[in-house]
Amino acid sequence: MFTKAEKEFFMNIALIEARKAYKKGDVPVGACIVNIDSKNMIARAYNKRMLRHDATAHAEVLCIKKACKKFKDFRLNKTAMFVTLFPCPMCMGAIVNSRIDEVYVGTESDRVDNSLIETIFNNNLLNHKVKYEVGVLKEQCSSLVRKFFKEHRENKN
């Protein structure tokens, strides 16, 4: 279990990553994976869809790939992910399949039904359940996303 201060510390790292995506013109999502027992960070990443021209280059997926490479295993047991924006269904599936135990989300998404997280993370048909919490540094995470999309809409006009 993470304390409030630890959750905020690691979400701030995810926010640093999200700001990198923002500066490169991608949706500002950042993620990091942490060992639950030692509280050591294993991997961090940010969205690179635009940079790589790759629909799967979401922060969560890239972070999982880095952690799996480091572990030399697809199982990321005893880990937690901190992610600034509510994961999409693809990322939720990657989280479940990589056996991440806990996910801490900064802010909800306007594009994904928030009940979907419970449907996927706690589905009785899957062999792994994920504990999750939404709202860690919510205001900082949501304001960055709102700012990005406001600027994106203004630049289209």
Side-chain angles (χ1 to χ4, degrees), residues 86-120:
F86 197 84
C88 73
M90 174 186 71
C91 293
M92 286 185 216
I95 290 165
V96 170
N97 282 300
S98 62
R99 312 296 197 271
I100 291 172
D101 294 300
E102 301 173 9
V103 174
Y104 297 93
V105 177
T107 191
E108 297 94 351
S109 171
D110 294 337
R111 297 189 160 265
V112 179
D113 180 0
N114 294 333
S115 66
L116 187 59
I117 198 168
E118 188 161 328
T119 301
I120 293 176

Side-chain angles (χ1 to χ4, degrees), residues 2-3 24 29 35 37-38 59 62 72 76-77 108 112 124 129 144 146 151:
F2 290 85
T3 66
K24 295 183 185 228
V29 179
N35 180 287
D37 296 330
S38 70
L62 297 173
K72 295 184 171 108
L76 301 176
N77 297 316
E108 297 94 351
V112 179
N124 289 327
K129 304 258 187 285
L144 183 61
R146 281 194 312 267
E151 289 173 2

Side-chain angles (χ1 to χ4, degrees), residues 3 21 32-33 43 63 65 75-76 80 85 90 108 117 122 124-125 137 140 143:
T3 66
C32 68
I33 296 177
C63 198
K65 286 181 177 189
R75 294 173 202 88
L76 301 176
L85 183 64
M90 174 186 71
E108 297 94 351
I117 198 168
N122 295 313
N124 289 327
L125 298 175
L137 297 182
Q140 294 92 317
S143 68

Side-chain angles (χ1 to χ4, degrees):
M1 195 65 161
F2 290 85
T3 66
K4 182 178 188 274
E6 289 169 334
K7 291 175 197 174
E8 290 177 357
F9 175 81
F10 290 115
M11 189 60 73
N12 270 312
I13 291 172
L15 272 165
I16 289 167
E17 293 297 306
R19 288 183 192 105
K20 292 176 185 175
Y22 177 88
K23 287 178 184 174
K24 295 183 185 228
D26 211 327
V27 177
V29 179
C32 68
I33 296 177
V34 178
N35 180 287
I36 290 172
D37 296 330
S38 70
K39 308 295 194 273
N40 289 329
M41 191 170 53
I42 298 160
R44 61 200 302 178
Y46 59 92
N47 267 5
K48 293 183 179 175
R49 295 175 316 147
M50 303 298 280
L51 188 65
R52 293 186 178 178
H53 309 288
D54 180 352
T56 66
H58 289 208
E60 301 94 323
V61 171
L62 297 173
C63 198
I64 288 168
K65 286 181 177 189
K66 286 180 180 181
C68 289
K69 188 173 182 178
K70 196 169 190 178
F71 276 23
K72 295 184 171 108
D73 195 348
F74 75 90
R75 294 173 202 88
L76 301 176
N77 297 316
K78 296 187 180 186
T79 63
M81 177 180 279
F82 292 80
V83 61
T84 57
L85 183 64
F86 197 84
C88 73
M90 174 186 71
C91 293
M92 286 185 216
I95 290 165
V96 170
N97 282 300
S98 62
R99 312 296 197 271
I100 291 172
D101 294 300
E102 301 173 9
V103 174
Y104 297 93
V105 177
T107 191
E108 297 94 351
S109 171
D110 294 337
R111 297 189 160 265
V112 179
D113 180 0
N114 294 333
S115 66
L116 187 59
I117 198 168
E118 188 161 328
T119 301
I120 293 176
F121 283 171
N122 295 313
N123 192 309
N124 289 327
L125 298 175
L126 302 173
N127 63 350
H128 183 70
K129 304 258 187 285
V130 179
K131 295 176 189 163
Y132 63 93
E133 178 181 328
V134 179
V136 180
L137 297 182
K138 181 177 182 169
E139 186 51 42
Q140 294 92 317
C141 294
S142 63
S143 68
L144 183 61
V145 172
R146 281 194 312 267
K147 181 180 176 186
F148 174 83
F149 282 110
K150 183 180 181 224
E151 289 173 2
H152 185 71
R153 283 188 299 276
E154 288 172 357
N155 289 337
K156 274 187 162 182
N157 295 330

